[in-house]
Amino acid sequence: MVERDINVFKAKLAEQAERYEEMAEFMARVANESTDLTVEERNLLSVAYKNVIGAKRAQWRIVSSLEVKEENTGTNKGSIIKNYKGKIESELNVTCTEILNLLEERLIPGAEQAQSADSLVFFYKMKGDYYRYQAELPVAVVHLIRKRHSKRLCQPTKRLKKKLIIFHPQVQSAWVCT
């Protein structure tokens, strides 16, 4: 088996075991080997990072709610919760930055070179999503920059949408930022 095929197989195995961080690592290796991903590989990459980020976002929401409850009780555990929330925010930011770098440095340029409208729309949508996730983080400067950048990234998908042949209107709107 070729290294790429082994990494794809490992990613599928990790998905079955619900080990999404490892799945993301395997798919990042595939993306770093080649900028030309198959539809299946694109989907595996997306599922991996979406699940990693989804779990971290849920953790952040839970800890944030605990932080609010703690503020209302008046005990001195607020700083512990705040530090823990900061750790989760940092992990969220690192994961988002990792996939954004992969998209910006490898996947989008590769899709542009291959003139693959499907891949470009897919990757631009992913890029917008991960900038949006970063914008949800309460770091004021990062929040404003990412929010503006996320909206700007929707423009290429709207332009590329016209090149795609999609027969169902719900599918067509799902692929483009609104």
Side-chain angles (χ1 to χ4, degrees):
M1 260 186 163
V2 179
E3 188 70 24
R4 179 181 180 141
D5 295 335
I6 291 170
N7 283 319
V8 169
F9 177 77
K10 286 180 178 179
K12 290 177 185 178
L13 187 60
E15 180 182 25
Q16 293 299 311
E18 296 182 11
R19 296 176 59 94
Y20 298 108
E21 290 194 17
E22 289 177 2
M23 183 183 180
E25 288 175 29
F26 295 131
M27 290 314 300
R29 289 180 194 163
V30 171
N32 279 317
E33 289 175 19
S34 171
T35 57
D36 187 24
L37 300 184
T38 66
V39 172
E40 179 187 39
E41 291 167 346
R42 277 192 333 229
N43 289 333
L44 287 169
L45 179 77
S46 178
V47 165
Y49 278 97
K50 187 68 100 177
N51 280 291
V52 170
I53 288 295
K56 290 185 187 309
R57 290 173 73 212
Q59 294 162 5
W60 184 86
R61 285 190 297 272
I62 291 166
V63 173
S64 291
S65 117
L66 292 173
E67 183 180 38
V68 169
K69 286 180 186 176
E70 179 57 34
E71 288 172 359
N72 295 332
T73 64
T75 64
N76 60 353
K77 297 175 185 170
S79 65
I80 296 169
I81 295 172
K82 186 176 182 170
N83 289 338
Y84 196 65
K85 186 174 97 171
K87 178 183 177 189
I88 295 169
E89 289 171 358
S90 176
E91 291 172 2
L92 250 166
N93 190 45
V94 165
T95 304
C96 286
T97 302
E98 178 183 305
I99 186 61
L100 287 167
N101 288 340
L102 196 58
L103 288 163
E104 291 169 357
E105 295 168 9
R106 302 277 303 154
L107 299 172
I108 291 173
E112 286 172 345
Q113 188 175 19
Q115 297 182 344
S116 173
D118 285 342
S119 292
L120 277 172
V121 170
F122 189 92
F123 294 142
Y124 274 119
K125 184 179 182 317
M126 276 184 76
K127 188 174 177 182
D129 287 343
Y130 288 96
Y131 273 118
R132 184 170 44 87
Y133 301 147
Q134 278 188 325
E136 292 172 358
L137 297 174
V139 181
V141 175
V142 172
H143 176 77
L144 293 173
I145 292 169
R146 299 300 189 204
K147 192 171 185 177
R148 278 189 233 124
H149 202 61
S150 179
K151 286 181 181 179
R152 195 180 84 233
L153 290 170
C154 288
Q155 297 308 314
T157 61
K158 290 177 183 177
R159 182 176 33 83
L160 292 166
K161 173 179 137 180
K162 295 173 184 169
K163 295 181 180 180
L164 299 176
I165 300 172
I166 300 176
F167 299 102
H168 197 283
Q170 286 180 326
V171 173
Q172 189 174 22
S173 66
W175 276 86
V176 180
C177 300
T178 54

